[in-house]
Amino acid sequence: MLINTLTTETGNQVLLIDQVFGIERLAQLHAMCAEFTPGCEHWPQPDWCAPPYNRPRYLFDEKGDEWAELVKFFDSSEFKQPIEKHLNIKLEHSVSTIWADFTGFGALGPHKEAGGSYMMQVYLTNTPHDYSGTTIYNENGQVLVQMPYRDNYAWFFHGMRVMHGRHHDVPKGITRFTLQIWFNEMLG
């Protein structure tokens, strides 16, 4: 992992992480995404996205031995240690999911998460895009950083403390695969 740090006006750190996964783990995630077709068994559309809402997002069903092995890896010191060392905290994996978004999902306005703790979003793509990643905003809702959407690139921050969203809709011709990983801070 290659980690760069952005500090917001409120003193919160946003980690920008390149080369999140090694070649084999990344290939495993790409293979899971390659199985996707809208409405297929392992990638259902959640109720809040289905008609009449018509938001083109599909969620991986998080089933099977391969997914269980990945979740175990997300809680391993091998994966967490670079982040923990950088922030001087201890983390435990909470929950993970992969989703696929399409054009028409829309932009996501500036917001902070209503609950939870630390979150990480890793982009999985063979079709990078210069400005379709997550947008980090200042406290007034103005764009601070517009991240690219490129393979094996991620951000990590405390979701309830950092204003974020997506300033743009998903570009035409892109299936925007995103791996979301949540962590809790281990106290004591």
Side-chain angles (χ1 to χ4, degrees):
M1 285 186 198
L2 301 175
I3 301 175
N4 290 290
T5 304
L6 166 73
T7 303
T8 67
E9 65 195 271
T10 56
N12 291 292
Q13 291 190 3
V14 175
L15 303 186
L16 306 175
I17 307 172
D18 218 347
Q19 301 176 24
V20 177
F21 297 110
I23 294 169
E24 290 179 19
R25 188 75 58 191
L26 185 61
Q28 178 184 20
L29 286 159
H30 276 280
M32 293 170 81
C33 293
E35 294 174 6
F36 170 78
T37 56
C40 71
E41 176 185 357
H42 291 293
W43 290 84
Q45 190 172 36
D47 292 342
W48 59 271
C49 290
Y53 306 106
N54 297 321
R55 299 203 72 186
R57 173 175 282 179
Y58 299 84
L59 300 176
F60 183 70
D61 68 4
E62 303 170 20
K63 293 180 181 173
D65 294 340
E66 188 176 34
W67 181 255
E69 187 265 325
L70 273 169
V71 168
K72 190 174 180 180
F73 175 73
F74 299 151
D75 204 30
S76 71
S77 58
E78 175 187 353
F79 183 68
K80 297 183 305 184
Q81 191 272 336
I83 298 166
E84 291 175 330
K85 184 177 178 184
H86 198 85
L87 295 174
N88 197 30
I89 59 174
K90 288 288 185 190
L91 300 168
E92 65 179 343
H93 174 262
S94 173
V95 67
S96 301
T97 192
I98 302 175
W99 67 73
D101 287 347
F102 289 87
T103 302
F105 187 83
L108 297 172
H111 66 280
K112 294 180 182 178
E113 300 301 312
S117 191
Y118 289 92
M119 53 196 289
M120 179 179 204
Q121 206 174 80
V122 185
Y123 306 129
L124 304 168
T125 186
N126 293 320
T127 313
H129 192 268
D130 287 345
Y131 58 86
S132 187
T134 300
T135 309
I136 305 299
Y137 297 92
N138 67 17
E139 291 297 305
N140 294 325
Q142 298 167 312
V143 174
L144 183 63
V145 174
Q146 177 59 63
M147 292 184 216
Y149 174 68
R150 71 172 186 254
D151 197 35
N152 210 13
Y153 183 73
W155 53 258
F156 179 98
F157 54 72
H158 197 296
M160 292 174 52
R161 298 181 188 158
V162 175
M163 189 76 71
H164 63 284
R166 192 171 70 220
H167 206 63
H168 306 278
D169 194 0
V170 177
K172 289 181 182 180
I174 291 180
T175 302
R176 190 178 184 275
F177 288 104
T178 306
L179 169 63
Q180 180 84 37
I181 309 170
W182 285 85
F183 296 93
N184 293 316
E185 185 175 355
M186 295 173 59
L187 304 174

